[in-house]
Amino acid sequence: MEKISVLSNLAMPVMILIIVIYGIIQRNKVFDTFLDGAKEGISVVVNLFPTLVGLFLAVGTLRASGVLDFVIQIISPVLDYIKIPSEIMPLALLRPISGSSSIAVAVDIMKQFGVDSGLGIIASVIMGSTETTLYTIAVYTSAVGIKKTRFVLVASLIADIVGMLASVAICRFLSMSFS
């Protein structure tokens, strides 16, 4: 275990050293190239900042307003019919919007029901098989200046829904297989 710790501590400095040596061998101005990259990175951050602020504000408002609870209450009869636990719905609704909010909801589910419970396992599989779609689309499309994201959004949200439904179905199937 100590060897792994030493290797992990040395990984980054060794990688930087390899890049610098390679740049010197190639006769590149390593520091000037680094500065150009840093300038470009800062401009990307400045361009993305308004998008991120808008997303964080929307997620905070959505959680604080009680809209999630209202939506879950409305769709719970359908969820009961198709045997999807309503306790995972806050995660399912927030996962496409925000990674940090969905992590907080998943942690709450695991604290309340346990990590080895059916709900804890379903929450883990949902976290691993879906994406923060709106965040990803907003960041990547605004970084390259794409304005029309309608079809990307529809396809991505369909993939998220399929991932969530598959997560529940597979977890239920595997829990029956091991019971």
Side-chain angles (χ1 to χ4, degrees):
M1 195 57 135
E2 188 175 317
K3 291 178 185 179
I4 292 174
S5 178
V6 169
L7 283 175
S8 65
N9 287 336
L10 288 176
M12 218 35 166
V14 168
M15 195 59 148
I16 292 171
L17 185 64
I18 289 170
I19 291 170
V20 169
I21 291 171
Y22 180 78
I24 291 171
I25 291 171
Q26 294 293 317
R27 298 187 188 267
N28 287 339
K29 296 180 180 177
V30 177
F31 191 68
D32 290 341
T33 304
F34 169 76
L35 290 178
D36 291 341
K39 288 176 190 173
E40 186 178 327
I42 288 174
S43 70
V44 168
V45 169
V46 168
N47 289 335
L48 292 179
F49 191 71
T51 304
L52 295 176
V53 169
L55 278 172
F56 291 142
L57 179 68
V59 168
T61 304
L62 187 64
R63 286 190 80 185
S65 68
V67 169
L68 283 178
D69 296 331
F70 179 70
V71 169
I72 293 168
Q73 195 174 30
I74 289 174
I75 63 173
S76 64
V78 175
L79 296 174
D80 292 340
Y81 181 74
I82 57 176
K83 296 190 176 18
I84 294 178
S86 60
E87 294 86 359
I88 64 159
M89 285 314 295
L91 175 62
L93 293 173
L94 282 176
R95 181 66 177 151
I97 302 170
S98 168
S100 57
S101 292
S102 59
I103 287 172
V105 171
V107 167
D108 287 344
I109 289 171
M110 290 177 202
K111 281 182 182 176
Q112 184 176 359
F113 299 102
V115 292
D116 291 333
S117 68
L119 290 173
I121 293 170
I122 291 171
S124 297
V125 174
I126 286 174
M127 290 297 291
S129 62
T130 58
E131 179 60 73
T132 53
T133 302
L134 298 181
Y135 173 82
T136 304
I137 290 172
V139 168
Y140 289 121
T141 57
S142 68
V144 295
I146 296 173
K147 300 288 184 206
K148 297 178 182 176
T149 61
R150 179 178 42 161
F151 297 114
V152 173
L153 179 63
V154 170
S156 300
L157 289 176
I158 289 171
D160 279 336
I161 291 168
V162 169
M164 289 176 203
L165 293 174
S167 297
V168 172
I170 291 169
C171 288
R172 288 201 180 278
F173 175 75
L174 290 177
S175 70
M176 287 189 299
S177 298
F178 293 115
S179 297

